[in-house]
Amino acid sequence: MILGHGYTGSYYLLKGYAEYLAGHGIICCIFDFCGGSNYSRSDGSMLDMSVITQVADMKLLISEIKKRTVFDTGRLFIGGESQGGLVAALAAAELQDEIAGLILLYPALYIPEIMRRQFPDRSAIPARMVQVGTMVGGRYAEDVYELDAYGQITKYTGNVLIFHGTQDGMVPLRYSQRVRQEYQNARLVVLEGAGHGIYSGKAMETICKEIKGFIEQERDE
């Protein structure tokens, strides 16, 4: 499984998920997107980063992993949290049958909508801007301005597992409720009382167990 971090995040935040899955015989790759944060271990600047550049990063990683015969690349699962969830969903839509299953943790499906709302006039997008307290480049808005997130990601027809907390103050639960309906084969696990960014506690335990079961079921079919 490949798991992508969220906006201004790092692979390190997802270490608990990777360790749990590895402990149950599931190889899990976590990584930093290029320019994914100001402390990323990968190259690149946040001024050059966007959802679309991160889709390219994930697709490149998938391509490199498929070259390694030690992995069962015919059973490759991808996923991500928050912005990384939107990234994984877009990558899965492009790669289709190359992806055995998609796992989304509180996916930030509203990013294109937020950018259009913030800049009703596309020509007003500045070269630099602050988003959620962090400076990014204009391409962060430009690259998704025309994107129909739901129309694009639901081109993926494989099985999808979605997690979202009822107390998520960053990405409202309704976005995942809608995407569950839009996907052909999706299940939404609602986490009572959970917020945005789940890295410990009972909610994380639930997510880990559900992911393990999802992968094992898909792998055995």
Side-chain angles (χ1 to χ4, degrees):
M1 179 180 174
I2 297 173
L3 190 61
H5 65 76
Y7 181 76
T8 71
S10 168
Y11 81 95
Y12 189 80
L13 294 172
L14 302 172
K15 187 177 179 182
Y17 291 100
E19 289 176 341
Y20 176 90
L21 294 173
H24 290 83
I26 300 167
I27 297 170
C28 183
C29 175
I30 51 176
F31 66 102
D32 280 359
F33 286 108
C34 292
S37 71
N38 289 323
Y39 54 93
S40 174
R41 292 185 64 181
S42 294
D43 293 336
S45 164
M46 287 198 71
L47 296 176
D48 300 318
M49 176 276 297
S50 75
V51 169
I52 303 307
T53 67
Q54 292 191 348
V55 171
D57 290 343
M58 183 167 279
K59 288 171 62 181
L60 178 60
L61 179 58
I62 290 168
S63 176
E64 289 301 313
I65 284 178
K66 282 181 170 288
K67 295 176 183 177
R68 304 192 180 194
T69 56
V70 67
F71 302 127
D72 179 6
T73 55
R75 309 303 298 166
L76 178 63
F77 296 79
I78 65 172
E81 59 153 354
S82 194
Q83 178 170 302
L86 174 57
V87 168
L90 290 168
E94 291 187 36
L95 298 174
Q96 292 289 341
D97 292 343
E98 295 182 49
I99 305 304
L102 176 62
I103 299 164
L104 306 177
L105 282 65
Y106 36 92
L109 300 169
Y110 66 176
I111 292 175
E113 176 186 327
I114 291 294
M115 293 299 100
R116 290 189 290 266
R117 189 186 308 161
Q118 188 170 341
F119 304 105
D121 181 354
R122 185 171 184 170
S123 64
I125 297 174
R128 296 187 178 191
M129 56 188 175
V130 175
Q131 294 294 321
V132 198
T134 303
M135 185 71 72
V136 294
R139 74 175 303 174
Y140 186 80
E142 286 280 1
D143 281 4
V144 297
Y145 199 84
E146 305 276 347
L147 178 66
D148 173 7
Y150 291 95
Q152 183 63 29
I153 70 174
T154 53
K155 291 177 182 177
Y156 179 69
T157 58
N159 289 334
V160 183
L161 181 60
I162 310 165
F163 299 93
H164 215 119
T166 58
Q167 300 301 313
D168 192 328
M170 181 67 69
V171 181
L173 173 59
R174 67 178 181 272
Y175 288 94
S176 286
Q177 290 172 327
R178 177 182 169 185
V179 80
R180 176 193 57 186
Q181 299 297 326
E182 297 281 352
Y183 272 120
Q184 293 183 31
N185 303 290
R187 182 166 70 93
L188 171 62
V189 177
V190 176
L191 303 163
E192 290 294 333
H196 195 81
I198 300 171
Y199 310 117
S200 62
K202 291 190 69 175
M204 180 178 172
E205 291 177 16
T206 297
I207 293 172
C208 285
K209 291 176 181 177
E210 289 279 356
I211 290 175
K212 173 179 173 289
F214 177 75
I215 290 177
E216 289 176 344
Q217 181 179 350
E218 296 295 307
R219 191 169 57 185
D220 293 340
E221 289 183 356

